[in-house]
């Protein structure tokens, strides 16, 4: 080749022997994009699983608390006395009592109940009664009911314990009743619930107090 003649290859890069180098360079971004999409899919899948688990836990908790219907409680709460007339020598008594009853509702919905009667007994003999009117106990609350009750020994023909109880100033009584109603949840679900009252108590005829009230 002549000395002054320039090579036809001067100033031009040599072409690659094959197309592999260029193909690898183009494939790298595509691989990264696919990996990124895979990671996103995996992340959304985990989010979906976590959401399902969370929703299931909420439903279970809701069913065990809010939607679980509990039986309300019907109790004698307290009382005061307007008149107390006791005759230990000729065993008899006549009491006028302001009784307060309570319907305790621990549900997340109101308890609507029908009217009923509370009966008071002395040694198994009925000595008085009280009418409980139809009403309702709001959710998570106690409905208080005030009723005037007359207690008398008119039905007791003979009882050897009455004279000693009146002399001691302690008159043991029991009260029973049954309350029928329904618990309403979310204004849709209604569940019938009946409540039984079974209370024991002592009337202190000296201090005019109701003492030792125990209800089951």
């Amino acid at each position: 080749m002549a000395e002054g003649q320039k090579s036809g290859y001067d100033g031009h890069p040599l072409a690659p022997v094959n197309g592999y180098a260029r193909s690898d360079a183009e494939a790298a971004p595509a691989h990264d994009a696919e990996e990124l999409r895979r990671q996103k899919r995996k992340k959304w899948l985990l989010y979906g699983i976590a959401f399902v688990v969370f929703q299931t836990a909420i439903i279970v908790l809701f069913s065990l608390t809010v939607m679980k219907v509990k039986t309300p409680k019907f109790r004698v709460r307290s009382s005061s006395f307007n008149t107390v007339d006791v005759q230990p020598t000729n065993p008899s008594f006549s009491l006028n009592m302001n009784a307060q009853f309570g319907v305790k509702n621990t549900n997340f919905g109101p308890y609507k109940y029908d009217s009923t009667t509370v009966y008071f007994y002395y040694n198994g003999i009925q000595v008085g009664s009280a009418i409980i009117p139809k009403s309702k106990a709001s959710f998570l609350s106690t409905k208080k009911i005030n009723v005037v009750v007359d207690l008398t020994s008119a039905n007791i023909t003979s009882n050897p314990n009455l004279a000693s109880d009146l002399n001691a100033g302690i008159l043991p009584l029991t009260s029973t009743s049954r309350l029928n109603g329904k618990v309403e949840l979310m204004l849709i679900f209604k569940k019938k619930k009946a409540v039984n009252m079974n209370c024991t108590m002592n009337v202190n005829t000296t201090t005019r107090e109701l003492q030792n009230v125990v209800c089951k």
Side-chain angles (χ1 to χ4, degrees), residues 58-216:
I58 291 296
I59 293 172
V60 171
L61 182 63
F62 189 77
S63 300
L64 294 178
T65 55
V66 177
M67 298 302 294
K68 185 178 181 180
V69 179
K70 303 174 184 177
T71 302
K73 295 180 180 180
F74 185 28
R75 302 287 188 263
V76 176
R77 288 175 54 87
S78 62
S79 72
S80 61
F81 293 88
N82 297 319
T83 60
V84 175
D85 183 13
V86 295
Q87 302 294 331
T89 54
N90 180 23
S92 64
F93 62 84
S94 178
L95 314 175
N96 184 262
M97 177 175 66
N98 295 316
Q100 184 179 91
F101 302 94
V103 180
K104 185 177 182 180
N105 179 25
T106 57
N107 293 290
F108 286 88
Y111 176 60
K112 297 181 179 180
Y113 55 87
D114 299 326
S115 61
T116 189
T117 304
V118 179
Y119 299 97
F120 290 87
Y121 299 89
Y122 171 79
N123 282 350
I125 301 173
Q126 183 180 329
V127 296
S129 62
I131 301 297
I132 305 299
K134 178 180 179 179
S135 188
K136 73 173 182 177
S138 300
F139 70 97
L140 301 178
S141 66
T142 299
K143 172 72 174 180
K144 299 176 183 177
I145 309 145
N146 296 309
V147 182
V148 177
V149 185
D150 288 318
L151 303 173
T152 176
S153 59
N155 293 332
I156 303 176
T157 55
S158 63
N159 191 301
N161 297 321
L162 183 56
S164 59
D165 288 339
L166 294 178
N167 277 313
I170 299 296
L171 190 65
L173 299 177
T174 60
S175 67
T176 62
S177 185
R178 182 177 176 85
L179 202 61
N180 294 304
K182 296 179 181 179
V183 176
E184 295 185 0
L185 297 175
M186 302 178 65
L187 303 176
I188 301 175
F189 304 101
K190 296 182 180 181
K191 179 70 174 180
K192 291 183 178 180
K193 280 294 180 178
V195 189
N196 292 320
M197 173 196 287
N198 187 6
C199 300
T200 60
M201 65 205 78
N202 292 329
V203 177
N204 190 318
T205 59
T206 303
T207 62
R208 296 190 173 193
E209 295 177 325
L210 192 67
Q211 301 173 338
N212 302 326
V213 180
V214 178
C215 296
K216 298 179 181 179

